[in-house]
Amino acid sequence: MANKSMSILASEIPFSHEQNNEILKTFFSVVDYYKKHPNPGACHLISSIFYVLLKEQNIENELCLGEVKNGDKYFDHSWIEINGEVFDIAIQHTLDGSENSLVYAGHELLTGEKHSRIYGISSPVGFDMEAKMVKDTPFVTYMNGYPQFKDGAWKIVKDISKELRLKLDIDVLKDKYKDTTRVLKS
């Protein structure tokens, strides 16, 4: 399997959705952006961008916030779920410096096997300050606050949307997502 490209491996994962092709293309468009602009620990940002791009293609998904257990370590995290399956782009570069396989439809893309992490578990210590801030910040305020661009993280959504041939207006997006909330998983 190591010689197959990640997108071919992802397309072979047993996940059935009427918009499989759009999910696959959107996933790897966000992955490509993240590779060009690495930002370890940017799970809340990357998941938010992925969430909006999927929703703009009428793909129902959940923007999840919770804790993850990997072996004996817990960490705060954001990810996407579609039909109850985990899609996790930001897991590849975590704050502790570890590199992990992308998770597509609940499977590790390096092996094609089901991932072994436990998503949505409560740790003994709970959320850290950043995760609490993300939980308590309205979605549009969070997206507006990304400091590298005048239009916040919406600029990244718009940039990636061009590759997906979506025509998006940032002001329309801000209004459309004003009531969005993250799904807390524990």
Side-chain angles (χ1 to χ4, degrees), residues 4-103:
K4 290 185 181 181
S5 79
M6 292 287 177
S7 60
I8 291 172
L9 283 173
S11 70
E12 293 174 349
I13 287 173
F15 177 71
S16 179
H17 191 283
E18 62 188 22
Q19 291 178 279
N20 268 347
N21 291 337
E22 291 83 1
I23 293 168
L24 187 71
K25 185 167 182 168
T26 305
F27 184 89
F28 283 102
S29 293
V30 177
V31 168
D32 289 345
Y33 180 88
Y34 194 43
K35 283 183 181 175
K36 291 175 193 165
H37 308 279
N39 189 352
C43 61
H44 308 304
L45 173 69
I46 295 299
S47 296
S48 298
I49 291 165
F50 187 34
Y51 169 81
V52 171
L53 290 167
L54 290 169
K55 291 291 276 186
E56 287 304 303
Q57 297 171 85
N58 297 313
I59 300 168
E60 285 304 313
N61 71 97
E62 291 185 326
L63 175 57
C64 302
L65 173 65
E67 293 177 294
V68 177
K69 185 176 182 189
N70 189 23
D72 61 351
K73 293 181 185 176
Y74 292 86
F75 58 95
D76 299 336
H77 198 52
S78 284
W79 65 94
I80 294 297
E81 289 187 14
I82 303 172
N83 293 345
E85 294 290 350
V86 172
F87 289 76
D88 192 354
I89 295 168
I91 195 71
Q92 62 185 323
H93 298 291
T94 59
L95 278 175
D96 68 2
S98 63
E99 294 187 13
N100 303 286
S101 174
L102 296 165
V103 176

Side-chain angles (χ1 to χ4, degrees), residues 33 36-37 39 45-46 49 141-160 170 174:
Y33 180 88
K36 291 175 193 165
H37 308 279
N39 189 352
L45 173 69
I46 295 299
I49 291 165
T141 303
Y142 175 82
M143 293 292 283
N144 290 346
Y146 188 67
Q148 292 183 352
F149 303 109
K150 178 181 87 91
D151 289 317
W154 301 109
K155 165 93 168 79
I156 301 169
V157 170
K158 184 137 173 116
D159 288 349
I160 297 171
I170 290 173
K174 288 178 182 182

Side-chain angles (χ1 to χ4, degrees), residues 62 64-67 79 81 119-122 127 183-186:
E62 291 185 326
C64 302
L65 173 65
E67 293 177 294
W79 65 94
E81 289 187 14
Y119 285 78
I121 188 167
S122 294
F127 283 154
V183 176
L184 296 178
K185 298 280 184 158
S186 59

